Amino acid sequence: MTKVTKSTTTSTSNPPTQKVILKPEAELHLLVGSSYGEGKTESPYGHTAVYIKLKGKDYIYDFGRYGKTKPESIGPFTLEGSNSPRGEGVLRVWDDFQAYIADENRQGLGTAKSRTTYAYGYRIFDSQAINVLNYYNKLIENSRPFQARAHFKSYILAQDYFALAPNCTTQSLEATKKAIPSMAKTGY
């Protein structure tokens, strides 16, 4: 990281000072994917993930119901299998943005509606990016390994996934607040 400095000498008895111009080098992106598919293969839900770019490395954190589903009773009805809003909370940690986005773009392929992902990006300081990485590392400390693939490792978290929370969006916002506390204000 190159620091740009500018020296300013004052006419008072104060010694010379240096002004350091700070420039954020890291990036934080909220990745928001659309619903996809049609008919029996339709997924009416979107998806949210966090992408950190730090010192030339990609870190994509993708939380979802990628493991076993769990039955959910709502009144006299019980939702099971892919219809259930509850399941093991699985965190996939990707090391390559292109691999992640290619996987997302495959969702709904061959139907009238494939997934589209939008990125909302912010320049942040390295220390802010590290706060997000540390948030996820703490979740991983209390997890169990699930799968390892070419560009991601996944972990079953202690916390289950539930469609109304905790879900991909609520967890992404919690992580984002570690870098930008005002990102997800409540009460609106």
Side-chain angles (χ1 to χ4, degrees), residues 93-104:
V93 182
W94 296 76
D95 63 9
D96 183 296
F97 176 75
Q98 294 304 323
Y100 169 80
I101 206 68
D103 186 69
E104 285 294 292

Side-chain angles (χ1 to χ4, degrees), residues 13-127:
S13 61
N14 293 334
T17 60
Q18 285 191 340
K19 292 182 181 179
V20 177
I21 300 169
L22 300 175
K23 182 179 174 190
E25 299 287 338
E27 299 174 24
L28 180 150
H29 299 265
L30 275 174
L31 305 175
V32 180
S34 66
S35 59
Y36 61 88
E38 62 187 342
K40 291 182 180 183
T41 63
E42 180 181 13
S43 176
Y45 307 106
H47 187 63
T48 307
V50 173
Y51 170 32
I52 297 288
K53 188 158 191 77
L54 177 64
K55 298 187 184 296
K57 289 182 143 185
D58 292 344
Y59 303 87
I60 299 95
Y61 296 95
D62 170 20
F63 178 67
R65 193 192 59 177
Y66 301 123
K68 295 176 185 171
T69 58
K70 297 180 178 182
E72 181 69 21
S73 294
I74 303 170
F77 304 101
T78 299
L79 301 173
E80 297 182 275
S82 62
N83 292 321
S84 176
R86 187 177 302 279
E88 290 177 323
V90 176
L91 178 65
R92 298 191 300 191
V93 182
W94 296 76
D95 63 9
D96 183 296
F97 176 75
Q98 294 304 323
Y100 169 80
I101 206 68
D103 186 69
E104 285 294 292
N105 289 343
R106 278 193 287 278
Q107 308 304 315
L109 201 60
T111 70
K113 186 177 174 187
S114 61
R115 171 160 281 163
T116 301
T117 300
Y118 301 91
Y120 299 91
Y122 304 87
R123 287 240 180 236
I124 59 175
F125 293 102
D126 290 4
S127 60

Side-chain angles (χ1 to χ4, degrees), residues 153-172:
K153 291 181 181 176
S154 62
Y155 306 88
I156 298 174
L157 301 184
Q159 178 182 45
D160 277 350
Y161 175 96
F162 185 60
L164 300 177
N167 59 41
C168 58
T169 300
T170 59
Q171 191 185 80
S172 293

